[in-house]
Amino acid sequence: MNTPPSALPLNLMALFPLILLAASAVVVMLAAAFYRHPRPVMMLTLAGLVLSFASLFLSRGVGSRQVTALLVLDHYALFFMGLIVAATFVVAVLCYRYFGGDESRHEALYILLLLAALGGGVLVASSHFASFLLGLELLSISLFVLIAYPRFTEWPLEAGIKYLILAGFSSGLLLFGMALVYAQLGTMQFAKIGTMLAAPDQVLELYGLAGLALIVTGVGFKLALVPFHMWTPDVYEGAPAPITAFIATVSKGAMLALLLRYFLVAGAYQSQPITLALSLVAVMTILIGNLLALLQDNVKRILAYSSIAQLGYLLVGFLAYGGLAIEAVAYYLTAYFVTMLGAFGVVTVLSGGLNDGSDGVAERDSDRLADYAGLFWHRPWLAGIFTAMLLSLAGIPLTMGFIGKFYILTAGVEASLWIPVVALVVGSAIGLYYYLRIIAAMCVHDPKAGSVPEAKFAGTASLAESVTLAALTFLLIGLGVYPTLLIQLLETTVVHLAGVPEFLALTGSL
């Protein structure tokens, strides 16, 4: 495709968020090479993320633009880029003290975070299988290293190896599926695939359907949907707490946003076998995720199975299709980002922290349920924040989780998805038990334990961590009590993706 010279400035403006993320990674890498000190490197990382977030408003002013055949920078992509950049900012703040602060050399960590965020940004803007794969691999390869970053400790290294093997396997399935779809249709652009499948004389042959099934399977591994969820609890437990927050939010959120775009634009939702398979996956994901969480005594594993169930809830909205469904998925995903970042933020603060050296730092996070016994009596503000996050995951009123779950439920009922809706209700009831179990452990007060030393809760939150957790809690409750601001934003950004013919008109000339 030949781009007119007059379109180049507008295309560059549309790409500003991605350009700034890439430039920030280069600047941080050079700063780390010439000045080995984590504080300025961390500050440069945060500055780059702030600039990238601010540039979203500039890109939005340009309007929806198809930049080559690979990327579409529309309001939908910009909204999810904003979520990814904001989540990366929170994780960068949480990483500083956790990885040793000024006493350690963890500058490379921030380069990897920026590259992973760049990969997530490319994913949500992808309109072609090539950019899909490039974004996915940039995100995944960065995550391999981030998970195993404390390389002298056993658990992160084991988790990194498991994620490497399973992510490599799922990427192979995705590649094979893309090849089969290309073999039949002769194109890798989502819009052209949608146009061809909409033709009355075009029917997917066996290997075309197999290609779609392989793509769904590969994505299922990335999203940890049942039965592709086996890696999740082990990786969540072994990975450093702030990196676990990054996996649970940025990695899954970027992939879900890409999947939603692909299914709408390519018309895959019109395939009855695919929608039936996804309905079955959604039901199994909700029920199995919640049931397995009941058996856990490790907080990170409980949150891992909870995240599996949460993705099942999102699939219910995903299957509903239409403006309300897209709005429901976007709102619930925003609530999911806030709650998971807040929950793992508390785990991060309470943990002694892991380091990249063998200097006696704790080899495990404070993730056992027993580690939280009596937290309310020693660190009430942390216990209060954790309680708010858990209640939001359970869908209790006055939190974002309640509004999001109500949205998903409404979209499912409107689309007559009765079995997934029933599974959602049953799963929510099961989930309430293990969330309350953690809250009850935090409120336990043993009179004989009055002299329990404060050292049991070793972590001490920095000012930046305290402000970050307070801001997440404010968003959680504020947008739960008054969700109109976010709803209005969604109505002017992501919902327009439901008008797929408009998108096809934008990309049809490619």
Side-chain angles (χ1 to χ4, degrees):
M1 183 187 73
N2 294 322
T3 303
S6 59
L8 287 176
L10 294 177
N11 286 347
L12 287 174
M13 290 174 65
L15 287 170
F16 260 9
L18 297 178
I19 292 173
L20 286 171
L21 280 175
S24 298
V26 174
V27 170
V28 169
M29 179 176 62
L30 292 173
F34 288 99
Y35 185 64
R36 293 300 302 273
H37 197 279
R39 184 180 294 272
V41 171
M42 188 265 288
M43 297 303 293
L44 283 173
T45 301
L46 297 182
L49 291 168
V50 169
L51 288 174
S52 180
F53 189 87
S55 69
L56 294 170
F57 299 96
L58 178 63
S59 298
R60 184 177 179 182
V62 176
S64 298
R65 296 195 66 81
Q66 181 75 37
V67 183
T68 73
L70 299 179
L71 300 172
V72 57
L73 276 299
D74 54 4
H75 293 167
Y76 176 87
L78 294 176
F79 175 83
F80 286 106
M81 279 187 198
L83 277 183
I84 288 170
V85 171
T88 306
F89 184 96
V90 172
V91 172
V93 171
L94 295 175
C95 282
Y96 183 72
R97 182 196 60 83
Y98 181 91
F99 283 96
D102 292 337
E103 304 302 321
S104 71
R105 294 292 176 262
H106 61 279
E107 297 89 350
L109 181 85
Y110 300 106
I111 305 171
L112 294 166
L113 279 176
L114 288 169
L115 290 175
L118 177 61
V122 171
L123 265 181
V124 300
S126 293
S127 59
H128 193 284
F129 280 143
S131 53
F132 174 10
L133 188 64
L134 287 172
L136 178 63
E137 292 308 301
L138 184 57
L139 174 61
S140 297
I141 292 172
S142 301
L143 284 177
F144 300 155
V145 187
L146 285 170
I147 293 170
Y149 197 82
R151 59 190 184 279
F152 292 108
T153 51
E154 176 185 354
W155 292 88
L157 196 59
E158 179 183 337
I161 293 172
K162 288 179 179 178
Y163 190 77
L164 172 64
I165 295 171
L166 290 171
F169 180 70
S170 64
S171 294
L173 293 177
L174 281 170
L175 274 171
F176 193 28
M178 293 173 187
L180 291 177
V181 171
Y182 179 73
Q184 178 176 350
L185 302 179
T187 182
M188 302 181 80
Q189 294 175 228
F190 299 165
K192 285 189 176 180
I193 292 173
T195 302
M196 296 176 72
L197 292 180
D201 58 339
Q202 180 70 55
V203 178
L204 276 179
E205 298 177 6
L206 180 60
Y207 55 91
L209 287 173
L212 278 178
L214 286 172
I215 291 172
V216 171
T217 302
V219 171
F221 271 106
K222 300 294 184 182
L223 293 176
L225 303 174
V226 174
F228 317 111
H229 65 290
M230 297 80 68
W231 61 272
T232 311
D234 291 340
V235 170
Y236 275 42
E237 182 183 8
I243 304 305
T244 306
F246 192 84
I247 299 170
T249 54
V250 172
S251 177
K252 292 188 176 183
M255 180 58 73
L256 188 71
L258 182 278
L259 185 65
L260 182 58
R261 182 190 292 279
Y262 171 74
F263 263 69
L264 289 175
V265 175
Y269 63 90
Q270 296 175 345
S271 171
Q272 193 71 12
I274 296 293
T275 53
L276 286 175
L278 282 179
S279 297
L280 179 61
V281 167
V283 172
M284 290 194 304
T285 299
I286 292 171
L287 296 180
I288 292 178
N290 280 304
L291 288 173
L292 290 178
L294 295 175
L295 307 176
Q296 308 303 315
D297 288 317
N298 183 290
V299 171
K300 288 172 74 175
R301 293 182 73 89
I302 291 174
L303 291 175
Y305 284 114
S306 169
S307 73
I308 292 171
Q310 300 294 324
L311 265 293
Y313 302 149
L314 281 163
L315 270 188
V316 177
F318 178 90
L319 290 165
Y321 175 65
L324 178 62
I326 297 173
E327 188 175 340
V329 169
Y331 189 100
Y332 198 92
L333 193 59
T334 305
Y336 173 78
F337 266 58
V338 173
T339 51
M340 279 297 177
L341 289 171
F344 281 109
V346 173
V347 175
T348 300
V349 170
L350 290 176
S351 300
L354 301 176
N355 206 326
D356 61 354
S358 52
D359 53 1
V361 179
E363 293 200 1
R364 292 187 63 115
D365 291 322
S366 296
D367 55 1
R368 296 182 178 88
L369 199 58
D371 295 334
Y372 292 78
L375 178 64
F376 177 79
W377 306 103
H378 293 273
R379 308 284 286 278
W381 75 276
L382 276 180
I385 290 174
F386 203 15
T387 298
M389 300 301 164
L390 293 172
L391 293 178
S392 179
L393 288 171
I396 300 301
L398 303 183
T399 64
M400 288 184 72
F402 170 75
I403 303 295
K405 199 162 286 188
F406 180 79
Y407 250 128
I408 294 288
L409 193 65
T410 303
V413 170
E414 188 179 78
S416 300
L417 299 172
W418 302 117
I419 295 179
V421 164
V422 170
L424 187 154
V425 174
V426 172
S428 298
I430 297 172
L432 184 60
Y433 173 80
Y434 57 79
Y435 294 130
L436 290 177
R437 185 179 170 209
I438 300 176
I439 296 171
M442 291 191 293
C443 295
V444 167
H445 179 58
D446 184 359
K448 297 179 182 179
S451 59
V452 173
E454 184 72 14
K456 176 183 177 182
F457 308 108
T460 301
S462 65
L463 177 61
E465 289 173 327
S466 300
V467 171
T468 300
L469 290 176
L472 289 171
T473 308
F474 175 78
L475 284 174
L476 182 81
I477 298 175
L479 292 176
V481 174
Y482 187 73
T484 306
L485 293 176
L486 180 56
I487 291 171
Q488 289 175 345
L489 177 63
L490 295 176
E491 288 174 348
T492 59
T493 53
V494 301
V495 176
H496 84 284
L497 188 64
V500 175
E502 297 176 8
F503 182 88
L504 294 179
L506 172 67
T507 56
S509 60
L510 296 176

